[in-house]
Amino acid sequence: MRALLWLVLCMALALPVAAQEAPDRAATGGAQTLEDIMARQRGEKVEDTFRRDATGQGNVEALMGQLGTRGVASDSEVFRALRYGSADTTTSSQGPTAGLLIQDSGMTWMAFRDGPLTQYGFYLLGGMIVVIALFWGLRGKIRIDGEKTGRKILRFDGIERFGHWTLGISFILLALTGLFLIAGRAFIIPWLGKEAYAPIALAGKWVHNNVSWAFMIALVLIFVRWVAHNIPNMTDLRWMAKAGGLFSKDVHPPARKFNAGQKIIFWSVIVLGVSISLSGVSLLFPFEVPVFAKTFVLANATGLPELIMGAPLPEILTPYQEMQLAQLWHGIVAFLFIGIVIAHIYLGSVGMEGAFDAMGSGEVEEQWAKEHHSIWYEEEMARAKAAPDQATPAE
């Protein structure tokens, strides 16, 4: 939790990680000192009123206009006023960013995007692949322990499988195009060259933007269909106590239609899916759907940011800062999401015998159902016996 909040704070574009008292600037005539410069390089908050307020407001500029004649307000004072948003300016263009003539948070955004976000994001994905490889080497494929019956039982109907595959395929396309775009400057352009990368990136952006709607619709569909089956209960605690039998042969703790591990995946997909969708919509409609300033207000109301980091999150953000934060948060959630889905794909395909059938044909081997979802299997059998005139789930 602390690490995640630290990432949010780092994304807040030069947010303070430590408060700094104003140094004695008498020797510099009120200008910045070496201590100011070093503090900024360490990412600390610098007391900057000595620059923010040095815009010529105290001289005859107040009488002649802020952008007055030569010799009234110096160029540095004018640009300082523009940077800190205190300049009295009018623009011929209209729009949410028309009055923002200078914004210097872009370098912080780019440094985080091309540095920690990309670096640790790919470390996370590589680490997940290594963990899966080790698990495969130590445990091997999780096979059906009992004797197969040859009978099938319906596990997921057509609507459920449609929602799952729509969500899964759209996510894979979004993940691949997103990784391709974020890794372009550092990895792909040096390999392919800018001319070859440009049309591929353009096509990837088009796919990413449009496939996102299928992902969001499918996310709603699977939530509606499966939320009732994914409410935690005491059975999940017993399942977790035995790690679901993943590390032991012939160990099969009881489970309903979804076991505790699948419920964790479900809620991870829902929470991360909603979060990445909100930031994605903000990016699809630039400057139209700001979400972070309001979110920071709610977070500050809890007192956690100030308690953990010593300073509240900023509650006033420029339109560009909103977009930069949305892009960074989108990337962080995406890396976490991809890592979880990699593990899910492994267990749902080559990692467990019979698991793919549940979303392939929708029917699973009866013995598989007994071993991995015994409570659900018994409920399905009882339902079939109670309505013998209807089609039974087992063939």
Side-chain angles (χ1 to χ4, degrees):
M1 179 65 183
R2 183 183 179 91
L4 181 59
L5 188 55
W6 181 86
L7 284 174
V8 175
L9 291 171
C10 287
M11 288 192 308
L13 308 177
L15 285 179
V17 295
Q20 182 200 36
E21 295 182 0
D24 182 12
R25 300 190 179 89
T28 61
Q32 69 176 341
T33 65
L34 177 61
E35 184 179 349
D36 294 324
I37 298 173
M38 298 300 293
R40 277 202 307 274
Q41 291 180 351
R42 292 192 300 267
E44 298 176 3
K45 179 177 175 59
V46 176
E47 197 284 318
D48 61 357
T49 54
F50 70 97
R51 304 173 69 191
R52 182 183 296 272
D53 298 338
T55 58
Q57 297 293 330
N59 57 26
V60 293
E61 174 195 20
L63 300 176
M64 302 183 62
Q66 190 173 36
L67 305 182
T69 58
R70 189 177 185 88
V72 178
S74 68
D75 289 345
S76 61
E77 290 172 333
V78 171
F79 281 104
R80 197 174 294 127
L82 291 172
R83 175 185 177 186
Y84 288 108
S86 61
D88 183 16
T89 60
T90 57
T91 59
S92 58
S93 62
Q94 301 297 320
T97 63
L100 186 63
L101 303 183
I102 294 178
Q103 70 95 19
D104 57 0
S105 59
M107 294 306 297
T108 306
W109 163 78
M110 181 176 290
F112 186 85
R113 178 190 182 276
D114 294 342
L117 175 58
T118 303
Q119 180 181 1
Y120 292 111
F122 280 103
Y123 282 167
L124 172 66
L125 301 187
M128 179 60 72
I129 294 173
V130 170
V131 169
I132 291 174
L134 290 174
F135 182 81
W136 172 269
L138 296 173
R139 179 67 168 89
K141 188 169 187 175
I142 302 173
R143 299 192 177 277
I144 299 174
D145 291 325
E147 185 177 352
K148 297 179 182 178
T149 65
R151 295 186 296 272
K152 300 288 186 178
I153 179 171
L154 180 65
R155 179 151 174 79
F156 295 116
D157 61 29
I159 295 177
E160 292 172 309
R161 299 199 307 278
F162 173 79
H164 175 272
W165 285 115
T166 301
L167 187 73
I169 293 173
S170 62
F171 179 83
I172 290 173
L173 290 174
L174 291 170
L176 291 176
T177 53
L179 291 175
F180 196 85
L181 291 171
I182 201 170
R185 181 181 290 106
F187 303 108
I188 302 177
I189 289 178
W191 173 43
L192 292 180
K194 294 181 179 179
E195 291 76 12
Y197 174 75
I200 299 175
L202 184 63
K205 180 177 180 295
W206 185 92
V207 170
H208 200 87
N209 291 349
N210 290 280
V211 171
S212 62
W213 299 108
F215 173 83
M216 288 185 278
I217 293 171
L219 187 69
V220 174
L221 177 59
I222 68 162
F223 176 80
V224 172
R225 289 295 300 229
W226 289 343
V227 64
H229 297 290
N230 281 277
I231 305 301
N233 52 55
M234 294 302 296
T235 303
D236 299 324
L237 294 179
R238 292 188 287 271
W239 191 94
M240 292 292 291
K242 296 183 179 181
L246 293 176
F247 300 96
S248 307
K249 294 184 178 180
D250 296 315
V251 176
H252 303 290
R256 297 184 180 276
K257 183 166 185 176
F258 292 97
N259 59 43
Q262 291 168 327
K263 289 179 181 181
I264 292 173
I265 294 293
F266 173 83
W267 287 112
S268 297
V269 167
I270 296 300
V271 172
L272 295 178
V274 170
S275 181
I276 204 170
S277 296
L278 289 175
S279 59
V281 170
S282 180
L283 294 170
L284 284 170
F285 301 97
F287 314 120
E288 298 295 330
V289 190
V291 294
F292 280 90
K294 296 178 181 178
T295 302
F296 289 167
V297 170
L298 297 176
N300 288 336
T302 67
L304 289 176
E306 191 165 6
L307 177 64
I308 296 174
M309 304 304 297
L313 294 163
E315 298 180 359
I316 299 177
L317 299 171
T318 67
Y320 284 112
Q321 286 177 319
E322 282 279 359
M323 295 301 298
Q324 290 157 359
L325 286 170
Q327 199 273 346
L328 295 180
W329 183 252
H330 199 73
I332 290 172
V333 175
F335 277 116
L336 293 173
F337 210 159
I338 295 170
I340 291 172
V341 170
I342 288 174
H344 175 65
I345 291 175
Y346 165 74
L347 285 175
S349 56
V350 299
M352 177 181 290
E353 182 182 9
F356 182 81
D357 295 337
M359 279 302 168
S361 64
E363 297 177 328
V364 294
E365 161 65 39
E366 188 176 272
Q367 183 62 28
W368 183 93
K370 289 180 182 179
E371 293 181 3
H372 297 289
H373 299 273
S374 58
I375 299 176
W376 168 75
Y377 169 76
E378 293 167 1
E379 290 173 346
E380 291 296 304
M381 292 299 100
R383 186 179 297 111
K385 291 180 180 178
D389 55 324
Q390 298 179 4
T392 60
E395 295 180 353

